[in-house]
Amino acid sequence: MTSIITRRRFNFGAGASAATLPLIGGVARAQAPLGVGFIYVGPVGDHGWTWTHDQGRLALEKEFGGKIKTSFIENVAEGPDAARAIRQLAQAGNQIIFTTSFGFMNPTIQVAKQFPKLHFEHATGYQRAENVATYNARFYEGRAVIGTIAGHMSKSGQAGYIASFPIPEVVMGINAFTLAARKVNPNFKTKVIWASTWYDPAKEADAAKALIDQGADMITQHTDSAAALQAAEQRGVFAFGQASDMKAFAPKAHLTAIVDDWSGYYIKRVKEVMDGSWKTGDVWGGIKDGMVKIAPFNDAVTPAARAAAEAVQKGIVAGTLHPFTGELKDQKGVVRVKAGETASDEILSKMDWYIDGVQA
Amino acid sequence: MTSAILVSIFMTLVAASTPILLAALGELVTEKAGVLNLGVEGMMLCGAVAGFAVAFSTGSTTLGLVAAVVAGIATAMVFAVLTLSLTANQVATGLALTIFGIGASSLIGAGFVGRTITRLGPVFPAALSDHPLLRAVFGHDIVVYLSLALVLGVSLFLRKTRPGLILRAVGEHDASAHAIGYPVIAIRYAAIGFGGALAGLGGAYFSLALTPMWADRLTAGRGWIALALVVFAAWRPGRLLLGAYLFGAVMTLELQAKAAGVTWLAPELLAMAPYLATVAVLTMMSLGRRTGRLDAPACLGKPFSAS
């Protein structure tokens, strides 16, 4: 039902203020502002995935002021409806359009063909074209950091993981988290609940409660709301925020969070459109590039856990530590990455197997 | 499994069922009066955001609940004016009400994203719920007890009281009810208002008790489940209670099964379980009937104008 009833909300605030410029200026006529469009899969108010992309959009407005005009369409269903929404932004005169969910991949390519002069940027996809670039963030690096903390601080040696859908991105995160925790505690186990949704706060909270009932004392998630953190706070266990710093929702439970920061990339790409140097490409940035950040640690994080987490973070930035360094065995004991080797991006982006210790 | 875990699962189950039960009970009364209001999801969201906004601003969850009821009624009145006074199509208006509710709640809630409030707490003192078994009885919040009382109240009202009989008459044969002098339109206004009040309260249960925060589309489609539940219950409050708790139980047990490590069942299949259970029970119930229709009020969805 929700796929039929999608809300369309346009933001023309910046456009309206730019339009009044010629009236005030008179002599120095402002150049027409550059249109920047965004397609969101969820509501801006989710405080998770879509919210962080919108923070990137706001950073653009702050950076460029009246020189750009941003607009967005939120709650766009992944599927045929997406093409219509993207085309709408293209026809509205936007020069660059960011489509921010995996399911927008085919519609983005399709619409980009019809508008060869416009620039398209698709988040988390793998199909590119002359005018379609892709970008993504290495969230698994952040998950290795929180996994290290979980390994140090879990008393039961069991974490609960609320996952959305078994796509490589999510599987990668579960594995990175578990691997890092098992480096600290070799018996560490991660219990996974597939919520089969990106966003259903009540269900996410219930999933957290179920995991806590079954012995997990560390809760982490790959779904978009802060509901699981609230459940953890209520039950007195620890948890990690997802996509943004979610401390406000669970001041005691929230140890830290993986923070997505798209603003740097968005500013860079819009600048390139302005000076004509934009080219297609593929960016997969991590902690080093500032696309993935770690939120401030809670005081509850023990000194040992803090030191270990910071060491992992530094190692990743320095390139001396890769979260997926062999030997890596899957649940059945098959060696997937040999000792001393590091999983290639190719292996990572197709990951469909679980590390030993994952219960999924 | 210890009794503490079992009680914990039970508590989760009750909490998960309560908002659906409330919204469905309100819709049941509305439909008994012959009006089909598909805008339950929209009314729930308006209740959820109003409840949160007031609870956040005043620091009182009780005031939040009151505000949610008021907001639910106000939203329902939009529907009532359009369908009763202007005889607009009920199905289309109900769908529009949901879209309106999603948008309005998002607009009002924009300033509350990221804020939190104190969760609606248990109504009885903690001493009464120390023991797990006592907790299963006395550990709930006020809305849970209220929802159970409302089921009983609505059931008695519809079956045992004269106003209840008149309301049913309006839903079964509006022309006859009108002919013998009952104010069909006024009764339907009241029924829609009651439906809105309970939908608002159910919605506020999300933002005040289940997940004490405001987030867009917090109800995530529960309003549609509530609508289905009314049909499932064949317009009977007792069966509605059973259905809501059954649905809550399957939802909760699905998650518990996954957490306990049931991996041989596909997660997608487990996610389908509540809906499969609903379809299965519906099928069984309709098989048990020769009439083929499930006791729907005869005038359900039909506009009425006293000509």
Side-chain angles (χ1 to χ4, degrees):
Chain A
M1 220 54 209
T2 42
S3 65
I4 304 167
I5 302 154
T6 50
R7 180 159 40 88
R8 303 269 176 270
R9 196 168 90 195
F10 285 88
N11 181 341
F12 286 131
S17 60
T20 56
L21 270 180
L23 294 174
I24 305 160
V27 186
R29 262 198 68 171
Q31 208 183 351
L34 181 86
V36 184
F38 287 84
I39 303 281
Y40 300 143
V41 70
V44 166
D46 69 356
H47 222 270
W49 177 259
T50 292
W51 189 78
T52 61
H53 283 283
D54 200 56
Q55 292 297 307
R57 182 185 66 83
L58 295 173
L60 277 176
E61 291 200 332
K62 209 175 153 201
E63 175 81 15
F64 297 107
K67 283 193 275 183
I68 62 165
K69 185 196 86 159
T70 70
S71 46
F72 65 85
I73 308 182
E74 61 182 335
N75 285 321
V76 176
E78 297 183 329
D81 204 28
R84 202 164 56 83
I86 301 167
R87 201 173 293 120
Q88 211 167 344
L89 284 188
Q91 280 164 344
N94 289 294
Q95 287 294 308
I96 179 163
I97 295 166
F98 296 93
T99 57
T100 61
S101 188
F102 182 77
F104 298 152
M105 182 166 68
N106 292 331
T108 304
I109 296 286
Q110 183 195 334
V111 177
K113 270 187 199 142
Q114 298 163 347
F115 296 90
K117 284 188 183 154
L118 305 188
H119 312 283
F120 293 84
E121 296 260 358
H122 178 235
T124 72
Y126 54 82
Q127 280 192 54
R128 280 167 288 278
E130 265 307 281
N131 62 338
V132 183
T134 52
Y135 64 103
N136 200 355
R138 297 179 187 268
F139 308 112
Y140 68 85
E141 294 182 351
R143 302 217 180 257
V145 176
I146 64 171
T148 306
I149 299 174
H152 272 280
M153 293 184 63
S154 172
K155 291 200 175 75
S156 66
Q158 289 181 27
Y161 205 117
I162 302 154
S164 49
F165 300 97
I167 57 173
E169 167 111 22
V170 177
V171 173
M172 215 186 301
I174 294 169
N175 284 344
F177 176 84
T178 310
L179 264 171
R182 279 171 86 87
K183 274 185 197 161
V184 183
N185 171 6
N187 295 318
F188 196 89
K189 283 199 167 50
T190 304
K191 290 169 181 275
V192 180
I193 285 188
W194 296 104
S196 300
T197 174
W198 284 108
Y199 181 78
D200 182 342
K203 190 171 185 181
E204 292 167 47
D206 285 350
K209 287 182 204 161
L211 289 162
I212 297 164
D213 283 342
Q214 303 289 344
D217 64 355
M218 291 280 150
I219 297 293
T220 187
Q221 55 174 348
H222 204 142
T223 45
D224 287 345
S225 89
L229 279 148
Q230 289 185 321
E233 180 93 355
Q234 193 192 7
R235 295 286 187 94
V237 304
F238 290 121
F240 300 97
Q242 148 85 1
S244 69
D245 190 341
M246 294 180 166
K247 186 172 194 279
F249 295 99
K252 284 190 205 126
H254 186 274
L255 291 179
T256 181
I258 307 167
V259 178
D260 309 351
D261 189 349
W262 306 102
S263 49
Y265 181 76
Y266 287 163
I267 290 170
K268 179 171 170 280
R269 295 303 265 175
V270 167
K271 226 171 236 165
E272 285 171 5
V273 172
M274 282 176 166
D275 61 26
S277 67
W278 189 96
K279 272 196 195 74
T280 183
D282 179 35
V283 165
W284 199 13
I287 295 179
K288 194 180 155 199
D289 315 271
M291 282 173 98
V292 176
K293 287 179 176 157
I294 306 294
F297 292 141
N298 193 318
D299 288 340
V301 177
T302 58
R306 180 186 293 262
E310 279 167 356
V312 169
Q313 211 173 330
K314 278 188 192 131
I316 289 171
V317 172
T320 54
L321 189 151
H322 191 291
F324 288 102
T325 304
E327 184 189 56
L328 304 185
K329 277 186 190 164
D330 67 13
Q331 286 169 317
K332 287 172 192 135
V334 179
V335 177
R336 294 290 189 146
V337 178
K338 285 188 202 127
E341 282 181 15
T342 294
S344 64
D345 285 357
E346 171 87 7
I347 293 178
L348 292 181
S349 60
K350 285 185 182 152
M351 197 169 257
D352 61 354
W353 47 272
Y354 298 102
I355 269 329
D356 195 23
V358 174
Q359 175 201 299
Chain B
M1 220 183 273
T2 67
S3 62
I5 292 182
L6 282 175
V7 169
S8 169
I9 295 173
F10 176 74
M11 303 294 285
T12 312
L13 179 167
V14 170
S17 313
T18 298
I20 305 172
L21 174 63
L22 281 168
L25 190 64
E27 178 68 14
L28 184 142
V29 172
T30 307
E31 292 191 12
K32 272 288 185 189
V35 180
L36 181 67
N37 184 355
L38 296 180
V40 178
E41 178 86 355
M43 298 190 294
M44 284 179 93
L45 280 168
C46 286
V49 75
F52 186 87
V54 169
F56 179 80
S57 311
T58 63
S60 158
T61 38
T62 314
L63 279 181
L65 290 173
V66 173
V69 169
V70 174
I73 295 173
T75 322
M77 282 306 119
V78 175
F79 174 84
V81 169
L82 287 171
T83 56
L84 298 182
S85 300
L86 306 173
T87 58
N89 181 294
Q90 290 181 9
V91 171
T93 310
L95 290 173
L97 190 71
T98 285
I99 301 171
F100 167 76
I102 292 172
S105 64
S106 170
L107 184 69
I108 298 165
F112 295 101
V113 171
R115 308 294 179 85
T116 53
I117 52 162
T118 313
R119 187 186 294 264
L120 186 65
V123 66
F124 293 110
L128 261 175
S129 51
D130 271 349
H131 188 270
L133 288 177
L134 285 177
R135 201 159 78 88
V137 181
F138 297 109
H140 307 282
D141 53 66
I142 182 79
V143 181
V144 170
Y145 300 110
L146 184 65
S147 70
L148 297 176
L150 278 165
V151 170
L152 186 68
V154 166
S155 179
L156 290 176
F157 170 79
L158 288 176
R159 282 188 302 136
K160 305 276 183 194
T161 70
R162 193 174 162 75
L165 186 68
I166 296 168
L167 183 127
R168 277 158 53 205
V170 165
E172 290 298 339
H173 208 296
D174 47 14
S176 305
H178 175 69
I180 50 176
Y182 292 118
V184 174
I185 297 293
I187 289 167
R188 286 188 174 169
Y189 260 103
I192 293 172
F194 182 77
L198 291 206
L201 189 62
Y205 198 68
F206 282 89
S207 59
L208 299 181
L210 290 179
T211 58
M213 62 175 179
W214 170 253
D216 265 13
R217 298 184 174 212
L218 193 57
T219 53
R222 301 291 192 286
W224 302 107
I225 295 169
L227 273 167
L229 207 57
V230 179
V231 184
F232 170 94
W235 290 268
R236 288 173 199 174
R239 217 181 256 188
L240 193 73
L241 179 72
L242 194 77
Y245 275 65
L246 180 75
F247 196 87
V250 181
M251 271 199 300
T252 309
L253 294 178
E254 167 216 337
L255 296 171
Q256 289 286 347
K258 289 181 196 168
V262 178
T263 48
W264 49 270
L265 257 174
E268 292 81 4
L269 245 145
L270 278 174
M272 272 164 63
Y275 305 94
L276 283 179
T278 311
V279 171
V281 177
L282 264 177
T283 311
M284 279 190 293
M285 273 168 33
S286 47
L287 282 178
R289 284 171 186 280
R290 288 199 196 117
T291 52
R293 71 180 187 89
L294 294 160
D295 290 346
C299 289
L300 187 62
K302 288 180 196 154
F304 172 79
S305 58
S307 46

